[in-house]
Amino acid sequence: MRVPLSWLREYVDLPAGETGRDVQAKLVAAGLEVETVEQLGAGLKGPLVVGQVLAIEELEGFKKPIRYCQVDVGQAGGTSQAEGSGGGTGEPQNIVCGATNFAVGDKVVVALPGAELPGGFAISARKTYGKTSEGMICSAGELGMADDHDGIIVLPPEYEPGTDAIELLELVDDVLDIAVTPDRGYCLSMRGIARETAIAYGLPLRDPALLDVPAPNSHGYPVKVADTVGCDRFTARTVTGLDPEAHSPIWLQRRLQKAGMRPVSLAVDVTNYVMLELGQPLHAYDRTRVNGAIGVRRAEQGEKLTTLDGTQRVLDAEDLVITDESGPIGLAGVMGGADTEIADAAADPETGQVKGTTEVVIEAAHFSPVSIARTARRHKLSSEASRRFERGVDPEATSAAAQRTVDLLVLLAGGTAEAGVTEIISPSAPHTITLPADHPDRVAGVTYGRETVVRRLQQIGCDVYGADDLTVTVPSWRPDLTDPNDLAEEVIRLEGYENLPSTLPRPPAGRGLTSRQRLHRRVGRALAGAGYVEALNYPFIGEEVLDQFGLAADDGRRDLVHLVNPLSDTEPALRTTLLPGLLAALRRNVGRGEHDVALFETGLIFRATGGEPPAVVLPVDHRPSDEEIAALNASLPRQPRRAAVVLAGAREQAGWWGKGTPVSWADAVEAGRIVAREAGVELIVRQDQQDPWHPGRCAALLAVVDGEEILVGNAGELHPRVTKALGLPERTCAMEIELDHLERAGTGVVEAPHVSTFPVATQDVALVVDTSVAAADVEAALREGAGDLLESVRLFDVFTGEQLGEGKKSLAYALRFRAPDRTLTAEEIAASRDAAVAVAAERTGATLRGA
């Protein structure tokens, strides 16, 4: 909400020297967020006057139209007269101008030599286009009034040449830009800001809504409200005999411009002005275009309406619409319809007579905030009216706003207010709140006392009765005040948040992180230490990415949990895997020139089982019971925690030290091992086929849980079809693993390895097995057979060839033996090695290569 200080002074008698910065400090202390104070006209200096164009000479021979104008600037122009005569000669000024939107006789704004325009642009007499220009004819953009630089300002004819244009156009002013929070809808009006300013300064308020309003009668324009829930008040007034050539006066246009609105036409400008002044949105209908009685109802599904922005909208059955006998003529509280809009004044080409709207019906209504908010979001159509209605508008201001609009139209357009007044009101009792007088004291920890509490509540418009227990009637313009804590907040903010004592809370001693939280942190640190960068992605996906992954129709990752109100129509569901978000982040990085990328993410995925019960609706007037909370949790989908990584490019850069190393499926597998080690789990790795990985370069990551091997994740290189569909680099690798399974499989305690001071003995063995035998099975047999002296086992070579025979492969392992308390003898090393080979032979049919 933009608030011109000059307009604010109409309602509050601020001290003469008070600036916008001073008012800003007061309002901020009262709890309003004043973002900026714009100083209009900063650096502007006169003389800046009204001039009348006497003659225009078109200059030829230039690429653009150039006009040499003679302008009467009153007593402001010319050289000084003889001594004792006083004032200027009043001689016309000759000015070169490139604009063509004015004619002889028009009144314009002239900056004379010695003036300075905003931005430090000094005006002087200078020769240009072969003529001497004695000033400048100004546009709105050059004066800082608007962004329009196309044409100069043409003023109404009633202003005399020589009139001070700085004062006339109110070019010097302070404008406060206030960010109004959703609970303070009353501050989206000059009336609301003026009330807060008056309270902050301790000054009386001249309420612009205190008008003499005629009583409703049966002679008004017919109105039928079919939905009294969506519209509980509707006031209609009619004004006839409007002058179609009447224009908004300068003061009205300038106030709209300072408030951030564009002047359109007199009738529209008046409704916008009253909305800014009182906070009540209004709409003016061309009476000749309205067919019969005005109605308020819910739309029929599929009805169509063309709104003022020229867009045809298909209406929903929940939309509240304004109608006449022909159908919808407006989207209630959001935007009017094009069929009944105010017609611009235009001359009839045959008769030359100016035609336009001469009769209007004024609508001032109060609509349900929820209904308006849903309609505006449904049609993606936010307007000044909808912003106010969805935050709460004073329902009792409708008649005053309609009266103010009628008065301005009669005053400015020469219209006549018809005696008929239509007012439809659904009865409702004022909202009252009961609270102890010391409730604000207990909330703030400060003793205010009953008198202070009552005074502050009365200042915001409440009626207060009672002694120890107060009965407070909330004013109609404050729908946000619903319970005692709201009233306490009002007292505290008006007394000053800065006056609250600074005391630190004393929370109860915690029990530290849970084992689940510690695992989560350890995994993140381990992956970061291994060179991965954490990426936090939105947990939303669409069906398209699952198609690009090549997932089968019965794949569990296609059982999506769809959102009722998604942020994006292309991603309407919760993720069932972490990979889409990570791969999208990798693609963005590669597209920005980062070709060597390693990213990781830890977080929840969402898997629907189909057996979840319907969600219960929790109460809003009291805390839900434990049973209700449990029932709500039971309706949620399963949400396992996962960790995932994606890699592309080079694992080691090339340089003078040698060739680089590209990432491979083995790096993705190692990332899974890094994660598992943080849970105290040694992974079992087997070959697998799982989308979206390459069928020949995909590993299944298994762990032993409750004595049984279970799949905890997959790792490997992505299928070429997937990388092409997603626009990823070739040989992109990925890993995804479930942390909940690892936590169950682990011991919960990660112990630092014991480092023996005794020497290590390394023995290499090459075992020949069938190609169907998994290397993980051979490794497990070697570990079991070698016993406690085996420190580690590592597969360092896999070989296949004709000399081994068809269906055979050679697996070469490095066995490291070490004792914690002694140096091993050759006999002990040989015995452990032979025992390991024996168990491998028994379990997997392995034979020593070359034996």
PDB file of all heavy atoms in Angstrom, residues 463-493:
ATOM      1  N   ASP A 463     -15.309  -1.464  21.693  1.00  0.00           N
ATOM      2  CA  ASP A 463     -16.123  -1.073  22.843  1.00  0.00           C
ATOM      3  C   ASP A 463     -15.794  -2.018  23.985  1.00  0.00           C
ATOM      4  O   ASP A 463     -15.841  -3.247  23.815  1.00  0.00           O
ATOM      5  CB  ASP A 463     -17.615  -1.143  22.516  1.00  0.00           C
ATOM      6  CG  ASP A 463     -18.022  -0.089  21.496  1.00  0.00           C
ATOM      7  OD1 ASP A 463     -17.404   0.987  21.479  1.00  0.00           O
ATOM      8  OD2 ASP A 463     -18.947  -0.361  20.694  1.00  0.00           O
ATOM      9  N   VAL A 464     -15.423  -1.466  25.152  1.00  0.00           N
ATOM     10  CA  VAL A 464     -14.936  -2.271  26.264  1.00  0.00           C
ATOM     11  C   VAL A 464     -15.807  -2.025  27.485  1.00  0.00           C
ATOM     12  O   VAL A 464     -16.071  -0.870  27.848  1.00  0.00           O
ATOM     13  CB  VAL A 464     -13.460  -1.941  26.585  1.00  0.00           C
ATOM     14  CG1 VAL A 464     -12.925  -2.890  27.646  1.00  0.00           C
ATOM     15  CG2 VAL A 464     -12.603  -2.027  25.319  1.00  0.00           C
ATOM     16  N   TYR A 465     -16.260  -3.117  28.120  1.00  0.00           N
ATOM     17  CA  TYR A 465     -17.066  -3.036  29.334  1.00  0.00           C
ATOM     18  C   TYR A 465     -16.508  -4.018  30.348  1.00  0.00           C
ATOM     19  O   TYR A 465     -15.880  -5.025  29.987  1.00  0.00           O
ATOM     20  CB  TYR A 465     -18.539  -3.374  29.041  1.00  0.00           C
ATOM     21  CG  TYR A 465     -19.156  -2.519  27.957  1.00  0.00           C
ATOM     22  CD1 TYR A 465     -19.204  -2.982  26.648  1.00  0.00           C
ATOM     23  CD2 TYR A 465     -19.684  -1.260  28.237  1.00  0.00           C
ATOM     24  CE1 TYR A 465     -19.761  -2.214  25.634  1.00  0.00           C
ATOM     25  CE2 TYR A 465     -20.245  -0.484  27.239  1.00  0.00           C
ATOM     26  CZ  TYR A 465     -20.283  -0.959  25.944  1.00  0.00           C
ATOM     27  OH  TYR A 465     -20.825  -0.192  24.962  1.00  0.00           O
ATOM     28  N   GLY A 466     -16.760  -3.743  31.613  1.00  0.00           N
ATOM     29  CA  GLY A 466     -16.359  -4.664  32.659  1.00  0.00           C
ATOM     30  C   GLY A 466     -15.189  -4.145  33.476  1.00  0.00           C
ATOM     31  O   GLY A 466     -14.505  -3.173  33.111  1.00  0.00           O
ATOM     32  N   ALA A 467     -14.965  -4.825  34.602  1.00  0.00           N
ATOM     33  CA  ALA A 467     -13.878  -4.434  35.503  1.00  0.00           C
ATOM     34  C   ALA A 467     -12.737  -5.443  35.422  1.00  0.00           C
ATOM     35  O   ALA A 467     -11.793  -5.263  34.664  1.00  0.00           O
ATOM     36  CB  ALA A 467     -14.418  -4.315  36.930  1.00  0.00           C
ATOM     37  N   ASP A 468     -12.826  -6.501  36.232  1.00  0.00           N
ATOM     38  CA  ASP A 468     -11.760  -7.513  36.203  1.00  0.00           C
ATOM     39  C   ASP A 468     -11.815  -8.366  34.941  1.00  0.00           C
ATOM     40  O   ASP A 468     -10.781  -8.741  34.385  1.00  0.00           O
ATOM     41  CB  ASP A 468     -11.864  -8.408  37.440  1.00  0.00           C
ATOM     42  CG  ASP A 468     -11.588  -7.634  38.714  1.00  0.00           C
ATOM     43  OD1 ASP A 468     -10.893  -6.601  38.630  1.00  0.00           O
ATOM     44  OD2 ASP A 468     -12.072  -8.055  39.783  1.00  0.00           O
ATOM     45  N   ASP A 469     -13.031  -8.690  34.489  1.00  0.00           N
ATOM     46  CA  ASP A 469     -13.216  -9.417  33.236  1.00  0.00           C
ATOM     47  C   ASP A 469     -13.815  -8.452  32.222  1.00  0.00           C
ATOM     48  O   ASP A 469     -14.906  -7.904  32.442  1.00  0.00           O
ATOM     49  CB  ASP A 469     -14.132 -10.622  33.420  1.00  0.00           C
ATOM     50  CG  ASP A 469     -13.464 -11.717  34.237  1.00  0.00           C
ATOM     51  OD1 ASP A 469     -12.245 -11.904  34.070  1.00  0.00           O
ATOM     52  OD2 ASP A 469     -14.161 -12.370  35.047  1.00  0.00           O
ATOM     53  N   LEU A 470     -13.119  -8.264  31.110  1.00  0.00           N
ATOM     54  CA  LEU A 470     -13.541  -7.296  30.109  1.00  0.00           C
ATOM     55  C   LEU A 470     -14.339  -7.983  29.009  1.00  0.00           C
ATOM     56  O   LEU A 470     -13.976  -9.069  28.552  1.00  0.00           O
ATOM     57  CB  LEU A 470     -12.323  -6.608  29.485  1.00  0.00           C
ATOM     58  CG  LEU A 470     -11.366  -5.894  30.455  1.00  0.00           C
ATOM     59  CD1 LEU A 470     -10.207  -5.284  29.683  1.00  0.00           C
ATOM     60  CD2 LEU A 470     -12.110  -4.836  31.250  1.00  0.00           C
ATOM     61  N   THR A 471     -15.421  -7.351  28.594  1.00  0.00           N
ATOM     62  CA  THR A 471     -16.183  -7.773  27.426  1.00  0.00           C
ATOM     63  C   THR A 471     -15.895  -6.778  26.315  1.00  0.00           C
ATOM     64  O   THR A 471     -16.213  -5.595  26.425  1.00  0.00           O
ATOM     65  CB  THR A 471     -17.689  -7.816  27.725  1.00  0.00           C
ATOM     66  OG1 THR A 471     -17.922  -8.744  28.799  1.00  0.00           O
ATOM     67  CG2 THR A 471     -18.465  -8.256  26.490  1.00  0.00           C
ATOM     68  N   VAL A 472     -15.281  -7.263  25.263  1.00  0.00           N
ATOM     69  CA  VAL A 472     -14.785  -6.399  24.191  1.00  0.00           C
ATOM     70  C   VAL A 472     -15.569  -6.680  22.918  1.00  0.00           C
ATOM     71  O   VAL A 472     -15.640  -7.831  22.465  1.00  0.00           O
ATOM     72  CB  VAL A 472     -13.278  -6.636  23.945  1.00  0.00           C
ATOM     73  CG1 VAL A 472     -12.758  -5.707  22.849  1.00  0.00           C
ATOM     74  CG2 VAL A 472     -12.487  -6.430  25.239  1.00  0.00           C
ATOM     75  N   THR A 473     -16.173  -5.631  22.359  1.00  0.00           N
ATOM     76  CA  THR A 473     -16.850  -5.732  21.066  1.00  0.00           C
ATOM     77  C   THR A 473     -15.886  -5.255  19.994  1.00  0.00           C
ATOM     78  O   THR A 473     -15.435  -4.114  20.011  1.00  0.00           O
ATOM     79  CB  THR A 473     -18.130  -4.887  21.045  1.00  0.00           C
ATOM     80  OG1 THR A 473     -18.995  -5.322  22.098  1.00  0.00           O
ATOM     81  CG2 THR A 473     -18.833  -5.037  19.711  1.00  0.00           C
ATOM     82  N   VAL A 474     -15.573  -6.132  19.079  1.00  0.00           N
ATOM     83  CA  VAL A 474     -14.566  -5.860  18.053  1.00  0.00           C
ATOM     84  C   VAL A 474     -15.165  -4.981  16.959  1.00  0.00           C
ATOM     85  O   VAL A 474     -16.305  -5.206  16.539  1.00  0.00           O
ATOM     86  CB  VAL A 474     -14.055  -7.192  17.451  1.00  0.00           C
ATOM     87  CG1 VAL A 474     -13.109  -6.943  16.295  1.00  0.00           C
ATOM     88  CG2 VAL A 474     -13.368  -8.013  18.531  1.00  0.00           C
ATOM     89  N   PRO A 475     -14.452  -3.968  16.457  1.00  0.00           N
ATOM     90  CA  PRO A 475     -14.981  -3.141  15.365  1.00  0.00           C
ATOM     91  C   PRO A 475     -15.108  -3.933  14.074  1.00  0.00           C
ATOM     92  O   PRO A 475     -14.392  -4.912  13.844  1.00  0.00           O
ATOM     93  CB  PRO A 475     -13.935  -2.020  15.242  1.00  0.00           C
ATOM     94  CG  PRO A 475     -12.678  -2.599  15.798  1.00  0.00           C
ATOM     95  CD  PRO A 475     -13.104  -3.524  16.891  1.00  0.00           C
ATOM     96  N   SER A 476     -16.012  -3.477  13.228  1.00  0.00           N
ATOM     97  CA  SER A 476     -16.313  -4.226  12.003  1.00  0.00           C
ATOM     98  C   SER A 476     -15.129  -4.285  11.058  1.00  0.00           C
ATOM     99  O   SER A 476     -15.042  -5.203  10.229  1.00  0.00           O
ATOM    100  CB  SER A 476     -17.517  -3.593  11.289  1.00  0.00           C
ATOM    101  OG  SER A 476     -17.240  -2.223  10.994  1.00  0.00           O
ATOM    102  N   TRP A 477     -14.202  -3.339  11.141  1.00  0.00           N
ATOM    103  CA  TRP A 477     -13.065  -3.333  10.209  1.00  0.00           C
ATOM    104  C   TRP A 477     -11.895  -4.191  10.683  1.00  0.00           C
ATOM    105  O   TRP A 477     -10.855  -4.225  10.048  1.00  0.00           O
ATOM    106  CB  TRP A 477     -12.581  -1.897   9.974  1.00  0.00           C
ATOM    107  CG  TRP A 477     -12.150  -1.171  11.217  1.00  0.00           C
ATOM    108  CD1 TRP A 477     -10.941  -1.224  11.842  1.00  0.00           C
ATOM    109  CD2 TRP A 477     -12.943  -0.268  11.983  1.00  0.00           C
ATOM    110  NE1 TRP A 477     -10.915  -0.433  12.947  1.00  0.00           N
ATOM    111  CE2 TRP A 477     -12.145   0.183  13.067  1.00  0.00           C
ATOM    112  CE3 TRP A 477     -14.247   0.219  11.871  1.00  0.00           C
ATOM    113  CZ2 TRP A 477     -12.600   1.089  14.020  1.00  0.00           C
ATOM    114  CZ3 TRP A 477     -14.703   1.123  12.813  1.00  0.00           C
ATOM    115  CH2 TRP A 477     -13.891   1.541  13.875  1.00  0.00           C
ATOM    116  N   ARG A 478     -12.051  -4.900  11.807  1.00  0.00           N
ATOM    117  CA  ARG A 478     -10.974  -5.745  12.299  1.00  0.00           C
ATOM    118  C   ARG A 478     -11.436  -7.201  12.420  1.00  0.00           C
ATOM    119  O   ARG A 478     -11.541  -7.762  13.521  1.00  0.00           O
ATOM    120  CB  ARG A 478     -10.480  -5.253  13.673  1.00  0.00           C
ATOM    121  CG  ARG A 478      -9.767  -3.912  13.671  1.00  0.00           C
ATOM    122  CD  ARG A 478      -8.523  -3.922  12.791  1.00  0.00           C
ATOM    123  NE  ARG A 478      -7.560  -4.930  13.188  1.00  0.00           N
ATOM    124  CZ  ARG A 478      -6.605  -4.725  14.104  1.00  0.00           C
ATOM    125  NH1 ARG A 478      -6.502  -3.559  14.695  1.00  0.00           N
ATOM    126  NH2 ARG A 478      -5.763  -5.683  14.386  1.00  0.00           N
ATOM    127  N   PRO A 479     -11.691  -7.879  11.306  1.00  0.00           N
ATOM    128  CA  PRO A 479     -12.101  -9.296  11.372  1.00  0.00           C
ATOM    129  C   PRO A 479     -10.988 -10.205  11.863  1.00  0.00           C
ATOM    130  O   PRO A 479     -11.240 -11.370  12.153  1.00  0.00           O
ATOM    131  CB  PRO A 479     -12.487  -9.616   9.921  1.00  0.00           C
ATOM    132  CG  PRO A 479     -11.689  -8.660   9.097  1.00  0.00           C
ATOM    133  CD  PRO A 479     -11.632  -7.399   9.910  1.00  0.00           C
ATOM    134  N   ASP A 480      -9.752  -9.696  11.954  1.00  0.00           N
ATOM    135  CA  ASP A 480      -8.636 -10.526  12.408  1.00  0.00           C
ATOM    136  C   ASP A 480      -8.628 -10.701  13.913  1.00  0.00           C
ATOM    137  O   ASP A 480      -7.906 -11.563  14.429  1.00  0.00           O
ATOM    138  CB  ASP A 480      -7.307  -9.899  11.971  1.00  0.00           C
ATOM    139  CG  ASP A 480      -7.141  -8.479  12.493  1.00  0.00           C
ATOM    140  OD1 ASP A 480      -7.997  -7.620  12.177  1.00  0.00           O
ATOM    141  OD2 ASP A 480      -6.158  -8.220  13.215  1.00  0.00           O
ATOM    142  N   LEU A 481      -9.403  -9.908  14.651  1.00  0.00           N
ATOM    143  CA  LEU A 481      -9.445 -10.018  16.117  1.00  0.00           C
ATOM    144  C   LEU A 481     -10.511 -11.040  16.490  1.00  0.00           C
ATOM    145  O   LEU A 481     -11.714 -10.755  16.448  1.00  0.00           O
ATOM    146  CB  LEU A 481      -9.747  -8.653  16.744  1.00  0.00           C
ATOM    147  CG  LEU A 481      -8.784  -7.512  16.370  1.00  0.00           C
ATOM    148  CD1 LEU A 481      -9.194  -6.226  17.058  1.00  0.00           C
ATOM    149  CD2 LEU A 481      -7.357  -7.889  16.725  1.00  0.00           C
ATOM    150  N   THR A 482     -10.063 -12.239  16.866  1.00  0.00           N
ATOM    151  CA  THR A 482     -11.014 -13.325  17.112  1.00  0.00           C
ATOM    152  C   THR A 482     -10.921 -13.920  18.507  1.00  0.00           C
ATOM    153  O   THR A 482     -11.849 -14.598  18.933  1.00  0.00           O
ATOM    154  CB  THR A 482     -10.806 -14.459  16.093  1.00  0.00           C
ATOM    155  OG1 THR A 482      -9.452 -14.944  16.201  1.00  0.00           O
ATOM    156  CG2 THR A 482     -11.041 -13.954  14.671  1.00  0.00           C
ATOM    157  N   ASP A 483      -9.792 -13.714  19.227  1.00  0.00           N
ATOM    158  CA  ASP A 483      -9.665 -14.331  20.543  1.00  0.00           C
ATOM    159  C   ASP A 483      -8.833 -13.427  21.454  1.00  0.00           C
ATOM    160  O   ASP A 483      -8.255 -12.422  21.000  1.00  0.00           O
ATOM    161  CB  ASP A 483      -9.043 -15.728  20.443  1.00  0.00           C
ATOM    162  CG  ASP A 483      -7.697 -15.710  19.733  1.00  0.00           C
ATOM    163  OD1 ASP A 483      -6.797 -14.993  20.203  1.00  0.00           O
ATOM    164  OD2 ASP A 483      -7.548 -16.417  18.734  1.00  0.00           O
ATOM    165  N   PRO A 484      -8.744 -13.734  22.746  1.00  0.00           N
ATOM    166  CA  PRO A 484      -8.049 -12.850  23.693  1.00  0.00           C
ATOM    167  C   PRO A 484      -6.603 -12.562  23.319  1.00  0.00           C
ATOM    168  O   PRO A 484      -6.111 -11.451  23.554  1.00  0.00           O
ATOM    169  CB  PRO A 484      -8.152 -13.624  25.014  1.00  0.00           C
ATOM    170  CG  PRO A 484      -9.398 -14.429  24.886  1.00  0.00           C
ATOM    171  CD  PRO A 484      -9.462 -14.835  23.448  1.00  0.00           C
ATOM    172  N   ASN A 485      -5.894 -13.541  22.746  1.00  0.00           N
ATOM    173  CA  ASN A 485      -4.496 -13.285  22.404  1.00  0.00           C
ATOM    174  C   ASN A 485      -4.354 -12.227  21.313  1.00  0.00           C
ATOM    175  O   ASN A 485      -3.362 -11.492  21.284  1.00  0.00           O
ATOM    176  CB  ASN A 485      -3.819 -14.580  21.969  1.00  0.00           C
ATOM    177  CG  ASN A 485      -3.485 -15.478  23.148  1.00  0.00           C
ATOM    178  OD1 ASN A 485      -3.348 -15.005  24.271  1.00  0.00           O
ATOM    179  ND2 ASN A 485      -3.368 -16.768  22.900  1.00  0.00           N
ATOM    180  N   ASP A 486      -5.340 -12.126  20.410  1.00  0.00           N
ATOM    181  CA  ASP A 486      -5.307 -11.069  19.400  1.00  0.00           C
ATOM    182  C   ASP A 486      -5.402  -9.694  20.057  1.00  0.00           C
ATOM    183  O   ASP A 486      -4.708  -8.751  19.665  1.00  0.00           O
ATOM    184  CB  ASP A 486      -6.451 -11.248  18.402  1.00  0.00           C
ATOM    185  CG  ASP A 486      -6.308 -12.520  17.583  1.00  0.00           C
ATOM    186  OD1 ASP A 486      -5.159 -12.930  17.338  1.00  0.00           O
ATOM    187  OD2 ASP A 486      -7.343 -13.091  17.199  1.00  0.00           O
ATOM    188  N   LEU A 487      -6.277  -9.580  21.046  1.00  0.00           N
ATOM    189  CA  LEU A 487      -6.408  -8.305  21.751  1.00  0.00           C
ATOM    190  C   LEU A 487      -5.145  -7.992  22.557  1.00  0.00           C
ATOM    191  O   LEU A 487      -4.703  -6.839  22.620  1.00  0.00           O
ATOM    192  CB  LEU A 487      -7.629  -8.336  22.673  1.00  0.00           C
ATOM    193  CG  LEU A 487      -8.974  -8.569  21.977  1.00  0.00           C
ATOM    194  CD1 LEU A 487     -10.102  -8.611  22.999  1.00  0.00           C
ATOM    195  CD2 LEU A 487      -9.245  -7.489  20.932  1.00  0.00           C
ATOM    196  N   ALA A 488      -4.558  -9.021  23.149  1.00  0.00           N
ATOM    197  CA  ALA A 488      -3.311  -8.815  23.880  1.00  0.00           C
ATOM    198  C   ALA A 488      -2.222  -8.305  22.951  1.00  0.00           C
ATOM    199  O   ALA A 488      -1.436  -7.413  23.305  1.00  0.00           O
ATOM    200  CB  ALA A 488      -2.882 -10.112  24.557  1.00  0.00           C
ATOM    201  N   GLU A 489      -2.176  -8.856  21.745  1.00  0.00           N
ATOM    202  CA  GLU A 489      -1.168  -8.410  20.775  1.00  0.00           C
ATOM    203  C   GLU A 489      -1.355  -6.943  20.425  1.00  0.00           C
ATOM    204  O   GLU A 489      -0.376  -6.196  20.279  1.00  0.00           O
ATOM    205  CB  GLU A 489      -1.263  -9.256  19.510  1.00  0.00           C
ATOM    206  CG  GLU A 489      -0.243  -8.861  18.449  1.00  0.00           C
ATOM    207  CD  GLU A 489      -0.443  -9.584  17.135  1.00  0.00           C
ATOM    208  OE1 GLU A 489      -1.359 -10.424  17.054  1.00  0.00           O
ATOM    209  OE2 GLU A 489       0.321  -9.299  16.196  1.00  0.00           O
ATOM    210  N   GLU A 490      -2.606  -6.499  20.302  1.00  0.00           N
ATOM    211  CA  GLU A 490      -2.853  -5.093  19.993  1.00  0.00           C
ATOM    212  C   GLU A 490      -2.343  -4.188  21.103  1.00  0.00           C
ATOM    213  O   GLU A 490      -1.724  -3.152  20.848  1.00  0.00           O
ATOM    214  CB  GLU A 490      -4.354  -4.865  19.770  1.00  0.00           C
ATOM    215  CG  GLU A 490      -4.919  -5.545  18.551  1.00  0.00           C
ATOM    216  CD  GLU A 490      -4.277  -5.043  17.271  1.00  0.00           C
ATOM    217  OE1 GLU A 490      -4.364  -3.834  16.997  1.00  0.00           O
ATOM    218  OE2 GLU A 490      -3.673  -5.853  16.552  1.00  0.00           O
ATOM    219  N   VAL A 491      -2.594  -4.562  22.330  1.00  0.00           N
ATOM    220  CA  VAL A 491      -2.113  -3.755  23.461  1.00  0.00           C
ATOM    221  C   VAL A 491      -0.586  -3.720  23.472  1.00  0.00           C
ATOM    222  O   VAL A 491       0.035  -2.658  23.637  1.00  0.00           O
ATOM    223  CB  VAL A 491      -2.658  -4.315  24.794  1.00  0.00           C
ATOM    224  CG1 VAL A 491      -2.042  -3.572  25.978  1.00  0.00           C
ATOM    225  CG2 VAL A 491      -4.178  -4.227  24.827  1.00  0.00           C
ATOM    226  N   ILE A 492       0.022  -4.860  23.278  1.00  0.00           N
ATOM    227  CA  ILE A 492       1.494  -4.944  23.348  1.00  0.00           C
ATOM    228  C   ILE A 492       2.140  -4.125  22.240  1.00  0.00           C
ATOM    229  O   ILE A 492       3.096  -3.378  22.465  1.00  0.00           O
ATOM    230  CB  ILE A 492       1.941  -6.419  23.273  1.00  0.00           C
ATOM    231  CG1 ILE A 492       1.453  -7.181  24.509  1.00  0.00           C
ATOM    232  CG2 ILE A 492       3.452  -6.526  23.161  1.00  0.00           C
ATOM    233  CD1 ILE A 492       1.582  -8.683  24.400  1.00  0.00           C
ATOM    234  N   ARG A 493       1.630  -4.224  20.997  1.00  0.00           N
ATOM    235  CA  ARG A 493       2.277  -3.500  19.896  1.00  0.00           C
ATOM    236  C   ARG A 493       2.096  -2.000  20.032  1.00  0.00           C
ATOM    237  O   ARG A 493       3.009  -1.225  19.712  1.00  0.00           O
ATOM    238  CB  ARG A 493       1.754  -3.988  18.546  1.00  0.00           C
ATOM    239  CG  ARG A 493       0.378  -3.525  18.164  1.00  0.00           C
ATOM    240  CD  ARG A 493      -0.016  -3.945  16.745  1.00  0.00           C
ATOM    241  NE  ARG A 493      -1.340  -3.466  16.389  1.00  0.00           N
ATOM    242  CZ  ARG A 493      -1.581  -2.290  15.829  1.00  0.00           C
ATOM    243  NH1 ARG A 493      -0.586  -1.465  15.576  1.00  0.00           N
ATOM    244  NH2 ARG A 493      -2.817  -1.925  15.520  1.00  0.00           N
TER     245      ARG A 493
END
